[in-house]
Amino acid sequence: MKTLVRLANAGVVTLAAAAMLTGTAARAAQLSGDARGAIPRDVQQLIVVDYRAMQNSSAALSLKDRVLPPELKRLETALKQSGLKVDRDTDTLAFAAYRVPGAENQTRTLGIAQGQFQTASILASFAKQKTKPTAIRNNQVYPMGAAGYSVVFLNQTTMLFGDAAAVRAGLDARDGLAGSFASNGDMMNEMASVDQKNLWSLLDQKGTQTMMRGVLGEAASLTDYDTVKNRMRSSRYTLDFQNGVKFNMAVVMSDTVTAATAATLMKGMVLLKEAQGSPVEKATMSETDIDSSAGTLQVSYAASEGQFSNLLSSPLFTQVVR
């Protein structure tokens, strides 16, 4: 479960858990071609969530409130306060943390919303309020609230939002002036295995290394973590609140031996928590399955919503998301 929360938080943005969702109906959080084409190519982490399903799950909303990083909270708040009726019109919400070209270790976050937006009404409201757009080629970018964010509609079903630099980067990708996520073959291949889920996330090599170091904690000192770290390739996870809470993660390694070593490290972390953790944490560890296969570390967790609610206030959760 430590893995679950770290990934859901993964302030790499982690981006994450930019929403935790699910609902009574079987839904999937899929990105349209327009959305994929407007995400910069060098994504460190991408999180996509079924926004409607999230609104119907109290457990999902509680988790989101706990793990949503400050940057994403500001973005979500700006979107809700923009007058765009996001709760009513948005079906899918995504956050992409991408690396800034020429700026080592710097990332920006771009938000993408998909739904059926009343664009004519929204633009009329902007005009009535005398909100003036900035033109970027054939795109009209509007200021969004007082937080300094901007929004642009690619069409009636897709909009980008974020700070001005992030929105411009998204438009550059969409207009073919820079590489886009759609041309990132590795990430696109990974996406195919998760985008039928309510919530899913992809991390590149650097994002995976950062996340795993935080997940392993003390267990990382039990062996040469740097050797294992350098052989991590990417990771992906899904989270579902349908019929309880289900979490699945896969970390792709360079070889089967490294995957097995990483599984051993994860099991060491579990043993530490089973020995030293609170009763809730110990129960969580007992519900966590860790294995490796074909060069991939696999972690899964399942519990009832009641067990999960108890975890939200546990010391383990507090430690991970602080």
Side-chain angles (χ1 to χ4, degrees):
M1 182 62 200
K2 182 171 184 177
T3 303
L4 184 162
V5 180
R6 169 63 67 178
L7 282 174
N9 176 56
V12 62
V13 190
T14 272
L15 260 178
M20 302 291 132
L21 42 71
T22 212
T24 55
R27 298 173 60 96
Q30 295 182 314
L31 289 177
S32 67
D34 288 326
R36 294 194 298 268
I39 298 173
R41 187 182 192 281
D42 293 329
V43 171
Q44 185 163 310
Q45 185 172 17
L46 173 65
I47 290 182
V48 183
V49 60
D50 182 332
Y51 193 75
R52 287 193 183 279
M54 180 192 69
Q55 303 302 313
N56 295 325
S57 170
S58 59
L61 290 172
S62 295
L63 179 58
K64 181 178 76 71
D65 289 342
R66 296 283 186 125
V67 304
L68 199 65
E71 181 179 3
L72 297 191
K73 286 184 178 179
R74 289 193 293 270
L75 269 177
E76 186 187 41
T77 298
L79 186 62
K80 287 183 176 180
Q81 294 177 346
S82 65
L84 300 180
K85 297 182 174 60
V86 61
D87 291 339
R88 184 193 70 186
D89 297 336
T90 298
D91 294 324
T92 302
L93 194 60
F95 294 92
Y98 66 94
R99 291 188 295 277
V100 177
E104 187 177 359
N105 298 324
Q106 183 179 351
T107 61
R108 284 200 179 97
T109 304
L110 176 67
I112 305 98
Q114 296 179 165
Q116 294 296 323
F117 303 114
Q118 306 301 314
T119 52
S121 174
I122 292 168
L123 295 180
S125 176
F126 281 154
K128 183 178 180 180
Q129 297 169 13
K130 298 183 179 180
T131 301
K132 295 183 179 180
T134 299
I136 299 180
R137 296 178 291 278
N138 294 325
N139 309 289
Q140 300 297 310
V141 180
Y142 289 86
M144 188 175 68
Y149 295 118
S150 301
V151 61
V152 59
F153 289 91
L154 302 183
N155 49 50
Q156 192 169 336
T157 62
T158 309
M159 67 177 174
L160 308 181
F161 61 98
D163 65 30
V167 170
R168 179 178 284 274
L171 290 174
D172 286 348
R174 197 283 302 269
D175 293 345
L177 301 180
S180 77
F181 176 77
S183 66
N184 187 329
D186 292 339
M187 282 280 199
M188 289 293 289
N189 289 336
E190 291 287 317
M191 183 179 71
S193 64
V194 296
D195 71 350
Q196 294 296 320
K197 303 298 183 180
N198 292 139
L199 176 144
W200 53 271
S201 181
L202 305 177
L203 293 90
D204 72 353
Q205 183 178 42
K206 187 170 183 179
T208 297
Q209 292 170 343
T210 301
M211 176 272 296
M212 285 296 291
R213 181 63 181 86
V215 167
L216 291 171
E218 297 173 51
S221 64
L222 300 179
T223 189
D224 187 359
Y225 173 73
D226 286 338
T227 299
V228 175
K229 179 190 74 173
N230 292 333
R231 294 176 182 174
M232 296 174 182
R233 294 291 177 260
S234 63
S235 60
R236 59 186 184 270
Y237 71 85
T238 62
L239 188 60
D240 193 339
F241 286 83
Q242 214 165 26
N243 299 319
V245 177
K246 298 180 183 68
F247 168 79
N248 288 282
M249 179 184 75
V251 181
V252 180
M253 305 290 186
S254 63
D255 55 82
T256 56
V257 173
T258 304
T261 301
T264 299
L265 283 172
M266 291 288 288
K267 290 176 181 178
M269 179 272 291
V270 168
L271 289 174
L272 284 172
K273 286 300 176 183
E274 285 183 331
Q276 303 172 5
S278 68
V280 171
E281 292 168 351
K282 291 177 180 179
T284 298
M285 293 300 101
S286 69
E287 299 294 336
T288 301
D289 294 322
I290 301 168
D291 202 353
S292 66
S293 176
T296 300
L297 166 67
Q298 299 168 332
V299 181
S300 61
Y301 166 82
S304 68
E305 285 207 16
Q307 291 171 316
F308 182 74
S309 296
N310 290 335
L311 179 67
L312 289 179
S313 58
S314 73
L316 170 61
F317 188 90
T318 302
Q319 175 188 354
V320 171
V321 302
R322 69 171 185 266

